[in-house]
């Protein structure tokens, strides 16, 4: 996967020069919501395991 930006070629078009912008939106980085969703999933799993064990012990 390419990490460095593509080289910008010179353009004679003034509009193209003014509107050029990068298209890197951080897709390769771990987002905050993704990390929080993982924690919620792990907490839910732990709660379910505790409920099953508790139910097993108490009948």
């Amino acid at each position: 996967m390419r990490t460095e930006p593509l080289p910008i070629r010179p353009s004679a078009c003034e509009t193209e020069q003014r509107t050029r912008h990068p298209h890197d939106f951080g897709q390769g980085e771990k987002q905050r919501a993704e990390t929080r969703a993982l924690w919620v999933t792990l907490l839910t799993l732990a709660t379910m395991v505790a409920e099953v064990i508790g139910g097993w012990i108490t009948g």
Side-chain angles (χ1 to χ4, degrees), residues 31-44:
Q31 301 296 319
R32 182 173 178 232
E34 184 179 351
T35 303
R36 293 177 79 181
L38 176 62
W39 278 109
V40 168
T41 303
L42 293 175
L43 179 61
T44 303

Side-chain angles (χ1 to χ4, degrees), residues 12-23:
C13 178
E14 184 180 324
T15 302
E16 183 182 354
Q17 289 175 353
R18 283 187 286 128
T19 59
R20 189 173 293 243
H21 60 277
H23 288 99

Side-chain angles (χ1 to χ4, degrees), residues 3 5-6 13 17 27:
T3 56
L6 292 173
C13 178
Q17 289 175 353
Q27 294 94 339

